Amino acid sequence: MLGPVRHRPHSEKRKMQDKNNRWILTAQCPSRLGTVDVVTRFLKEQRCYITEQQSFDDHLSGHFFIRTEFRPEAEGFGAEAFQAGFAERAAEFEMTFELTAPGTRMPVVIMVSKADHCLNDLLYRYRTGQLPIDIRSIVSNHPDLASLAEWHGIPYRHFPITPETKPEQEAQVREEIEASGAELVILARYMQVLSSEMCTRLSGRAINIHHSLLPGFKGAKPYHQAYEKGVKLVGATAHYINDDLDEGPIITQGVEPVGHADYPEDLVAKGRDIECLTLARAVALHVERRVFLHASRTVVFDR
Amino acid sequence: MLGPVRHRPHSEKRKMQDKNNRWILTAQCPSRLGTVDVVTRFLKEQRCYITEQQSFDDHLSGHFFIRTEFRPEAEGFGAEAFQAGFAERAAEFEMTFELTAPGTRMPVVIMVSKADHCLNDLLYRYRTGQLPIDIRSIVSNHPDLASLAEWHGIPYRHFPITPETKPEQEAQVREEIEASGAELVILARYMQVLSSEMCTRLSGRAINIHHSLLPGFKGAKPYHQAYEKGVKLVGATAHYINDDLDEGPIITQGVEPVGHADYPEDLVAKGRDIECLTLARAVALHVERRVFLHASRTVVFDR
Amino acid sequence: MLGPVRHRPHSEKRKMQDKNNRWILTAQCPSRLGTVDVVTRFLKEQRCYITEQQSFDDHLSGHFFIRTEFRPEAEGFGAEAFQAGFAERAAEFEMTFELTAPGTRMPVVIMVSKADHCLNDLLYRYRTGQLPIDIRSIVSNHPDLASLAEWHGIPYRHFPITPETKPEQEAQVREEIEASGAELVILARYMQVLSSEMCTRLSGRAINIHHSLLPGFKGAKPYHQAYEKGVKLVGATAHYINDDLDEGPIITQGVEPVGHADYPEDLVAKGRDIECLTLARAVALHVERRVFLHASRTVVFDR
Amino acid sequence: MLGPVRHRPHSEKRKMQDKNNRWILTAQCPSRLGTVDVVTRFLKEQRCYITEQQSFDDHLSGHFFIRTEFRPEAEGFGAEAFQAGFAERAAEFEMTFELTAPGTRMPVVIMVSKADHCLNDLLYRYRTGQLPIDIRSIVSNHPDLASLAEWHGIPYRHFPITPETKPEQEAQVREEIEASGAELVILARYMQVLSSEMCTRLSGRAINIHHSLLPGFKGAKPYHQAYEKGVKLVGATAHYINDDLDEGPIITQGVEPVGHADYPEDLVAKGRDIECLTLARAVALHVERRVFLHASRTVVFDR
């Protein structure tokens, strides 16, 4: 995701699964001759060796996207100097960019209700270092999953909700997200409809998992809807939140075959694995800076 | 599919891919103690050896389905005597059934417009005997695919259509289907909306391929709709025709991953393979008597 | 798996995900006219309603397999009487069978080394009741995973091993398995080669997960072997242990696409999910009595 | 595939599925600072707009690969001048490269025996323009598929073979390939073992489809081998020919689930679809210049 130019102080970074000391530079801008050259020429000048690069120009929207992994070859490579230098070149192209240091763990808040399969899966990947995230807290409208959080040593914030207290509860959630320093909110089967204001506020920096192949079966009880229609495939969709719930830009989707012997409760059970995998995959793509958001669509530079 | 008790005269049957001289008996009825026993006891009495059997009782609809492959061990096994005998037993259970002899090729009519990928695929499977169908004719509202039909030695009926002549054209199609003796109509990308009357007439005995994961993206240009939504999976749905177009009972579905670099025309191209495979698979399931239709749902005894 | 006729006292059984009070009867015997009838007639006589049934006759090996789910409709259905009665009928067909009551949880021992992904996954499915197993203990040659076991309240047996103490360690493992009452041993990435004697002893009642698409890449470091060969798919194989390690009868296999940018360590990481899913799936198939072992092959009546 | 610098005269090129007038530049060389820059700077200087770019540096082999699609923005873009200019820059990096004009159809020879499923599939994609190849001739050791070739208007060369005439037959094949001007040979289920000399000659410019997940089940009758082992997945492998038959660099692989009810002949039948799709996919990747061959491995810049 590309926001404004940001800098993460190097001292904060822990090295993790550090293959070849790789930095990541991502950028996007309107289409214009020289968009790739402005990036690669600067990297060459800075003596940065490009280990992997992908770029794409969307000719329908006239927008350009690039993701570069590189290894500095010069002694004393400095993020600040790099960013200052590149900002000058980028300005000419109205290019936004982000530089990510090796071993960066993205600070996140996870939101849940009672179902724990996605949370359990994320915690495992977090605990073993597979997913470079730093879980600042787990927020829930129910107390049920507190002990799971506790075993992983993560603060658990229980903010109950009723129709009357919804605005207050959302204010608590907002405050927690802001205080935590989270750059990403993961809705891991959080079963409350967010207010339009909350959606707008989290737009582009919250990932939700919906248990259907959106845009099919929006809204509640998608597996029961799927059973009614007699579908032979069910699935899950990980997408960014935007102001239209269940319609935010899709990051990735997964699918699972089902049959006549699968009653609605079987679909729910069968769907759990694909929900876990699809959400974990979307979060991994996001934190590895492989997803670019532009209008209502994503560009995903997958491996 | 189970219609009323039918008998195919043995003399008409050609042997094809005949593994172990296998007959197929399919049946369905309301749930009631003894539904399996009434089938298997009769087969034992008739000295028929069951090589493969699947049964399912849908506890939500209270309906029972069974499919049996068997090999007669007695000399002089006769289809007529078998059916007459079993009809007596079945009556008590309000059971409908169908007996299918080894090597039966189902007579079909294929309907197409201009796109030839599904037709080409079906013709290949037909020509090589992979798909035990007997294509009586190919019906189209365009002349384009006549030479493909001709090379395979299959009559091609060109019935042009305009908004004004739609009723007349449908009458021609109906007549052709009836005259041909087809038991199944395959809509292999026939791009005309059938009238409600035609749908009702073909209900349960026509298979359509829709190029989306129904019920998502009903109607026209589903790949363009899919592009607009930025989905990461496209698919195809093979379903029976019923009175609600694009809503008939689903037989099987296929899926294909897509990405940001796939423009609408790329989705169309990528979708072709999955459309071919999904339609061919549905037709194979149908002609092998693996699909049971009950209300708006199917039971599919797949291998 | 079909062993000798066994009976589980009803008092021991806990009800779990009990849809419709379903019992399971599985059986196998040499092919012979009447194999299905002997099962279904008896069920009818006992007023048992069959909700799902699958049978298969392997014409190459001349062997027959059947799995039936049923719901007793008579008051006072008794497992012992049922088994005694059916044993008489089965004897004539040299048929072995097993009756499984609703809600049965199979007692198991899980064996691990240091890698915890498969264990973590099994524990989650166990804890949430998705997998009807009763984990009696976790056995390991390393102490690393003790706290994970402890959090789930499961005894952890640490039996260290060196080349010199291998026989003694295996004796300890054997004793633990026997004392625990386990009917199934799950090798969830246990990284020791079992002695031939141990393999024989566990033959057919231990499931191993091998991290390759067997029979490709047998032995150690399969992902490194796969990288060397430049394959574009990696996978995992869940199989029964028999006397030839890595060659036991296959239950199920999973697959994952990989590419040129995946170095050996990436293959290891990518393989974890498919290992978890494949092992969990094999265990579920086994405990639901969907797997039949005959010579070096399995028959799997999947849903 | 990157051979020596070549130039295809523009007059020979037919425009086909020409989205945005896209040229392709592919290159590879030993890893060294500036490998990307040397390409992108030149493109910028030539006023070429990059629409899609992928690069990869293999840190184990120390080799670099890049593929660029671009649209010339300057009037009077000339391939010869471009190549001459770029050759100078490339020399410094020991970089080999290839420039491919929009609408280029690669000249190919297809080799077959009796099985026609892969040939039929390739011919369909060729006839409809999905696969930008120019089939110069079809070579076979059997006469069976002549009429299929004829219907498509393609010369069919029948070169029979016996153990005694093998060298002469291979000479005929060689001559045909050379005379045809083919840049690629497609072995679409050609059932003769090529001589080591022939393999060497075709090394890197012939694609074979093997009906197993290599390196499992090398050699003859792979589906029968797979049946013996009781595998639950079968597959197909498309690979370049090199001097070690069935061991050439893998381009892509496909997979298909199978079960206990699939006898060897069923595996053969089930495998056909996946063979067709896998071979067609490999050929498409190759002609779109998405495959790079280096030592015994491939780099595939897939979409």
Side-chain angles (χ1 to χ4, degrees):
Chain A
M1 213 53 356
L2 299 178
V5 179
R6 276 176 296 167
H7 172 231
R8 293 194 179 71
H10 197 267
S11 59
E12 265 181 50
K13 278 148 205 162
R14 274 167 283 169
K15 298 267 171 139
M16 243 201 79
Q17 295 186 318
D18 178 12
K19 191 199 295 168
N20 301 321
N21 188 29
R22 291 196 180 184
W23 292 69
I24 301 169
L25 177 65
T26 47
Q28 60 174 301
C29 66
S31 304
R32 201 184 120 189
L33 186 65
T35 46
V36 176
D37 180 64
V38 74
V39 173
T40 52
R41 189 182 299 223
F42 185 76
L43 285 166
K44 165 81 183 306
E45 290 169 8
Q46 301 292 313
R47 300 189 55 75
C48 295
Y49 188 75
I50 296 172
T51 51
E52 216 168 327
Q53 174 165 298
Q54 286 166 291
S55 78
F56 174 67
D57 183 80
D58 183 345
H59 75 81
L60 293 184
S61 68
H63 213 75
F64 166 80
F65 309 87
I66 189 165
R67 179 185 186 277
T68 299
E69 292 193 15
F70 65 90
R71 181 182 66 228
E73 302 215 325
E75 298 260 324
F77 175 84
E80 283 186 56
F82 182 98
Q83 290 184 112
F86 188 59
E88 274 179 46
R89 308 279 180 96
E92 194 190 338
F93 287 80
E94 298 168 77
M95 184 180 272
T96 56
F97 70 92
E98 185 184 20
L99 179 68
T100 307
T104 300
R105 290 168 76 123
M106 183 177 280
V108 306
V109 161
I110 301 179
M111 295 180 68
V112 293
S113 290
K114 290 182 167 180
D116 67 351
H117 54 285
C118 285
L119 177 62
N120 184 69
D121 182 77
L122 291 170
L123 287 172
Y124 177 75
R125 294 174 201 270
Y126 157 76
R127 175 164 69 79
T128 55
Q130 281 174 60
L131 204 51
I133 54 176
D134 177 5
I135 307 178
R136 299 289 168 91
S137 64
I138 295 168
V139 167
S140 182
N141 55 329
H142 291 287
D144 308 51
L145 307 183
S147 73
L148 192 59
E150 191 190 4
W151 192 73
H152 288 83
I154 298 167
Y156 190 83
R157 312 292 183 213
H158 175 210
F159 301 134
I161 191 168
T162 64
E164 293 74 38
T165 64
K166 192 179 174 96
E168 289 81 355
Q169 198 256 15
E170 284 205 345
Q172 289 176 305
V173 173
R174 255 195 333 267
E175 217 166 282
E176 171 63 24
I177 292 170
E178 273 156 37
S180 73
E183 292 178 22
L184 177 70
V185 175
I186 305 171
L187 299 165
R189 297 295 308 266
Y190 181 68
M191 303 306 281
Q192 287 292 318
V193 176
L194 299 180
S195 71
S196 166
E197 191 216 330
M198 187 75 168
C199 283
T200 304
R201 185 180 290 264
L202 293 177
S203 179
R205 57 191 196 98
I207 295 177
N208 183 45
I209 182 74
H210 187 82
H211 41 314
S212 85
L213 289 171
L214 288 175
F217 309 132
K218 283 188 267 191
K221 298 225 164 207
Y223 291 126
H224 289 74
Q225 293 180 53
Y227 179 81
E228 283 309 310
K229 290 291 180 189
V231 299
K232 303 301 185 186
L233 293 170
V234 296
T237 303
H239 63 97
Y240 288 115
I241 290 294
N242 70 2
D243 48 359
D244 187 355
L245 207 71
D246 290 359
E247 286 280 4
I250 295 171
I251 302 168
T252 187
Q253 299 184 294
V255 80
E256 177 84 13
V258 296
H260 58 262
D262 292 307
Y263 293 105
E265 61 269 28
D266 299 311
L267 299 189
V268 170
K270 277 202 171 178
R272 278 188 204 111
D273 287 340
I274 200 71
E275 289 169 37
C276 291
L277 289 171
T278 303
L279 179 57
R281 179 170 182 68
V283 173
L285 290 168
H286 179 90
V287 299
E288 292 172 8
R289 275 66 179 179
R290 294 183 181 279
V291 191
F292 296 71
L293 183 54
H294 185 65
S296 66
R297 300 169 61 80
T298 61
V299 166
V300 182
F301 288 135
D302 200 357
R303 292 175 53 176
Chain B
M1 208 58 352
L2 300 177
V5 179
R6 275 177 296 167
H7 173 233
R8 291 193 182 71
H10 196 268
S11 58
E12 264 180 53
K13 277 149 207 161
R14 275 166 284 168
K15 298 270 169 137
M16 242 203 80
Q17 294 186 320
D18 177 12
K19 193 198 295 169
N20 300 321
N21 189 29
R22 291 195 180 184
W23 292 69
I24 302 168
L25 177 66
T26 47
Q28 60 173 302
C29 66
S31 303
R32 202 185 121 187
L33 185 65
T35 46
V36 177
D37 180 65
V38 73
V39 172
T40 53
R41 188 182 297 223
F42 186 77
L43 286 165
K44 166 80 183 307
E45 290 170 7
Q46 301 292 313
R47 302 190 53 76
C48 295
Y49 188 74
I50 296 173
T51 51
E52 216 167 329
Q53 174 165 298
Q54 286 166 291
S55 78
F56 174 66
D57 183 80
D58 183 345
H59 75 81
L60 293 184
S61 68
H63 212 74
F64 166 81
F65 309 86
I66 190 166
R67 180 185 186 277
T68 299
E69 291 193 14
F70 66 90
R71 182 182 66 228
E73 301 213 327
E75 298 261 323
F77 174 84
E80 284 186 54
F82 182 97
Q83 290 185 112
F86 188 58
E88 274 180 47
R89 308 278 181 97
E92 196 190 339
F93 287 79
E94 299 168 76
M95 183 180 271
T96 55
F97 70 92
E98 185 184 20
L99 178 69
T100 307
T104 301
R105 290 169 77 122
M106 184 177 280
V108 306
V109 161
I110 300 179
M111 294 179 69
V112 294
S113 290
K114 288 181 169 183
D116 66 351
H117 54 287
C118 286
L119 177 63
N120 185 68
D121 182 78
L122 291 171
L123 287 173
Y124 177 74
R125 293 174 202 272
Y126 157 77
R127 175 164 69 79
T128 56
Q130 283 174 60
L131 205 50
I133 54 176
D134 177 6
I135 307 178
R136 298 291 168 90
S137 64
I138 296 169
V139 167
S140 181
N141 56 329
H142 291 287
D144 306 52
L145 307 182
S147 73
L148 193 58
E150 189 191 5
W151 192 73
H152 288 84
I154 297 167
Y156 189 82
R157 312 292 183 212
H158 175 211
F159 301 134
I161 190 169
T162 64
E164 294 73 39
T165 63
K166 192 180 175 96
E168 289 79 357
Q169 197 256 14
E170 284 205 345
Q172 288 175 305
V173 172
R174 258 198 328 270
E175 217 166 283
E176 171 62 24
I177 293 170
E178 273 156 38
S180 73
E183 292 177 23
L184 177 71
V185 174
I186 304 172
L187 299 165
R189 298 295 308 268
Y190 181 68
M191 304 306 280
Q192 287 293 318
V193 176
L194 299 181
S195 70
S196 166
E197 192 216 329
M198 188 74 169
C199 283
T200 304
R201 184 181 291 263
L202 292 178
S203 180
R205 57 192 195 97
I207 295 176
N208 184 42
I209 182 75
H210 187 83
H211 40 315
S212 87
L213 290 171
L214 288 176
F217 308 132
K218 282 187 269 189
K221 297 223 164 208
Y223 291 125
H224 289 73
Q225 293 181 53
Y227 179 82
E228 284 309 311
K229 291 290 181 190
V231 299
K232 302 300 186 186
L233 293 171
V234 295
T237 303
H239 63 97
Y240 288 114
I241 290 293
N242 69 2
D243 48 359
D244 187 355
L245 208 70
D246 289 359
E247 286 279 4
I250 295 173
I251 302 168
T252 188
Q253 298 184 294
V255 80
E256 178 83 13
V258 297
H260 57 262
D262 292 306
Y263 292 104
E265 60 271 27
D266 299 310
L267 299 189
V268 170
K270 277 202 170 179
R272 277 186 206 114
D273 286 340
I274 200 70
E275 290 168 36
C276 290
L277 288 171
T278 303
L279 179 58
R281 178 168 182 71
V283 173
L285 290 168
H286 179 90
V287 299
E288 293 172 7
R289 272 70 177 175
R290 295 182 180 279
V291 191
F292 297 72
L293 183 54
H294 185 65
S296 67
R297 300 170 61 80
T298 60
V299 166
V300 181
F301 289 135
D302 201 357
R303 291 177 53 178
Chain C
M1 210 57 351
L2 300 177
V5 179
R6 276 176 295 168
H7 172 231
R8 293 193 180 72
H10 197 266
S11 60
E12 265 181 50
K13 276 148 206 163
R14 274 168 285 168
K15 298 268 170 138
M16 242 202 81
Q17 295 186 319
D18 177 11
K19 191 198 294 167
N20 300 322
N21 187 29
R22 292 195 179 185
W23 293 69
I24 302 169
L25 177 66
T26 47
Q28 60 174 301
C29 65
S31 303
R32 200 185 121 188
L33 186 66
T35 46
V36 176
D37 179 64
V38 74
V39 173
T40 51
R41 190 182 298 224
F42 186 76
L43 286 165
K44 165 80 183 307
E45 290 169 8
Q46 301 292 313
R47 301 191 53 74
C48 296
Y49 188 74
I50 297 173
T51 51
E52 216 168 328
Q53 174 166 295
Q54 286 167 293
S55 78
F56 175 66
D57 183 79
D58 183 346
H59 76 80
L60 292 184
S61 68
H63 212 74
F64 167 81
F65 309 86
I66 190 166
R67 180 185 186 278
T68 299
E69 292 193 15
F70 65 90
R71 181 182 66 228
E73 301 215 326
E75 298 261 323
F77 174 84
E80 283 186 58
F82 182 97
Q83 289 183 113
F86 188 59
E88 274 180 48
R89 308 278 180 96
E92 195 190 339
F93 285 81
E94 299 169 77
M95 184 180 271
T96 55
F97 70 92
E98 185 184 18
L99 179 67
T100 307
T104 300
R105 290 168 77 122
M106 183 177 279
V108 305
V109 162
I110 301 179
M111 296 180 68
V112 293
S113 290
K114 289 181 168 182
D116 66 350
H117 54 287
C118 286
L119 177 63
N120 184 70
D121 182 78
L122 291 171
L123 287 172
Y124 177 75
R125 294 175 201 271
Y126 157 77
R127 174 164 70 79
T128 55
Q130 282 174 60
L131 205 50
I133 54 176
D134 177 7
I135 307 178
R136 297 290 168 90
S137 64
I138 295 168
V139 167
S140 182
N141 56 329
H142 292 288
D144 308 51
L145 307 182
S147 73
L148 193 57
E150 190 190 4
W151 192 73
H152 288 83
I154 298 166
Y156 188 83
R157 314 289 185 216
H158 175 213
F159 301 135
I161 190 168
T162 65
E164 294 74 38
T165 64
K166 192 179 173 95
E168 289 80 355
Q169 197 257 13
E170 284 205 344
Q172 288 176 304
V173 172
R174 256 198 329 270
E175 219 166 282
E176 172 63 23
I177 292 170
E178 273 156 36
S180 73
E183 291 178 23
L184 177 70
V185 175
I186 304 171
L187 299 165
R189 297 294 309 265
Y190 180 68
M191 303 306 281
Q192 288 293 317
V193 175
L194 300 180
S195 70
S196 166
E197 193 215 329
M198 188 74 168
C199 283
T200 304
R201 184 181 291 263
L202 293 177
S203 180
R205 57 194 194 97
I207 295 176
N208 183 44
I209 182 75
H210 186 83
H211 40 314
S212 85
L213 289 172
L214 287 175
F217 309 133
K218 284 189 267 190
K221 297 225 163 208
Y223 290 126
H224 289 74
Q225 293 181 52
Y227 179 81
E228 283 310 310
K229 290 291 180 189
V231 298
K232 303 299 186 188
L233 293 172
V234 296
T237 303
H239 63 96
Y240 288 115
I241 291 294
N242 69 2
D243 50 359
D244 188 354
L245 208 70
D246 289 358
E247 285 279 4
I250 295 171
I251 302 168
T252 188
Q253 300 185 292
V255 80
E256 178 83 12
V258 296
H260 57 262
D262 293 305
Y263 292 105
E265 62 269 27
D266 299 312
L267 299 189
V268 170
K270 277 202 171 177
R272 276 187 206 114
D273 286 340
I274 200 72
E275 290 169 36
C276 291
L277 289 172
T278 304
L279 180 57
R281 178 168 183 70
V283 173
L285 290 168
H286 179 90
V287 300
E288 293 173 6
R289 272 69 178 177
R290 294 183 181 279
V291 191
F292 296 73
L293 184 53
H294 185 65
S296 66
R297 300 169 62 79
T298 61
V299 167
V300 181
F301 289 135
D302 200 356
R303 290 175 54 177
Chain D
M1 211 54 355
L2 300 177
V5 179
R6 275 176 297 166
H7 173 233
R8 291 192 182 71
H10 197 267
S11 60
E12 263 181 54
K13 278 150 206 160
R14 273 166 284 167
K15 298 270 171 136
M16 241 202 80
Q17 296 186 318
D18 177 10
K19 192 197 294 167
N20 301 321
N21 188 29
R22 292 196 179 184
W23 292 69
I24 302 168
L25 177 65
T26 47
Q28 61 174 302
C29 66
S31 303
R32 202 185 120 188
L33 186 66
T35 45
V36 176
D37 180 64
V38 73
V39 173
T40 53
R41 188 181 300 223
F42 185 77
L43 286 165
K44 165 80 183 307
E45 290 169 9
Q46 301 293 312
R47 302 190 54 74
C48 295
Y49 188 74
I50 297 174
T51 51
E52 215 169 329
Q53 175 165 296
Q54 286 166 292
S55 79
F56 175 66
D57 182 79
D58 183 345
H59 75 81
L60 293 185
S61 68
H63 212 76
F64 166 81
F65 309 86
I66 190 166
R67 179 184 187 278
T68 298
E69 291 193 15
F70 65 90
R71 182 183 64 228
E73 300 213 327
E75 298 261 323
F77 175 84
E80 283 185 56
F82 182 98
Q83 290 184 110
F86 188 58
E88 274 180 48
R89 309 278 180 96
E92 195 190 339
F93 287 81
E94 299 168 76
M95 184 180 270
T96 55
F97 70 93
E98 185 185 19
L99 178 67
T100 307
T104 301
R105 291 168 77 124
M106 184 177 280
V108 306
V109 161
I110 301 178
M111 295 179 68
V112 292
S113 289
K114 289 180 168 182
D116 65 351
H117 53 287
C118 286
L119 177 63
N120 185 70
D121 182 78
L122 291 170
L123 287 173
Y124 177 75
R125 294 174 201 271
Y126 157 77
R127 175 164 68 80
T128 56
Q130 282 174 61
L131 205 51
I133 54 176
D134 177 6
I135 307 177
R136 297 290 170 89
S137 64
I138 296 168
V139 167
S140 181
N141 55 331
H142 290 287
D144 307 52
L145 307 182
S147 73
L148 193 57
E150 190 189 4
W151 192 73
H152 288 83
I154 299 167
Y156 189 84
R157 311 292 184 214
H158 174 212
F159 301 135
I161 191 168
T162 64
E164 294 73 39
T165 63
K166 191 179 175 96
E168 289 81 355
Q169 198 258 10
E170 284 205 344
Q172 289 176 303
V173 172
R174 255 195 334 267
E175 216 165 286
E176 171 64 23
I177 292 170
E178 273 156 39
S180 73
E183 291 178 23
L184 176 71
V185 175
I186 305 171
L187 298 165
R189 298 295 307 269
Y190 181 68
M191 304 306 282
Q192 287 292 318
V193 176
L194 299 181
S195 70
S196 166
E197 192 216 329
M198 187 75 168
C199 283
T200 304
R201 183 181 291 263
L202 293 178
S203 180
R205 55 191 197 99
I207 295 177
N208 183 43
I209 183 75
H210 187 82
H211 39 315
S212 85
L213 290 171
L214 288 176
F217 309 132
K218 282 187 269 191
K221 296 224 165 207
Y223 291 125
H224 289 74
Q225 293 180 53
Y227 179 82
E228 284 309 310
K229 291 291 180 189
V231 300
K232 302 299 186 187
L233 293 171
V234 296
T237 303
H239 64 96
Y240 288 115
I241 290 295
N242 70 1
D243 49 358
D244 188 354
L245 208 70
D246 289 358
E247 286 279 4
I250 295 172
I251 302 168
T252 189
Q253 299 185 293
V255 79
E256 177 84 12
V258 297
H260 57 261
D262 292 307
Y263 293 104
E265 61 270 27
D266 299 311
L267 300 188
V268 169
K270 278 201 170 180
R272 275 186 208 115
D273 286 340
I274 200 70
E275 290 168 37
C276 291
L277 289 171
T278 304
L279 179 57
R281 178 168 182 70
V283 173
L285 290 168
H286 178 91
V287 299
E288 292 172 8
R289 272 70 178 177
R290 296 183 179 278
V291 191
F292 296 72
L293 184 54
H294 185 65
S296 67
R297 301 169 60 79
T298 60
V299 166
V300 182
F301 290 135
D302 201 357
R303 291 175 55 177

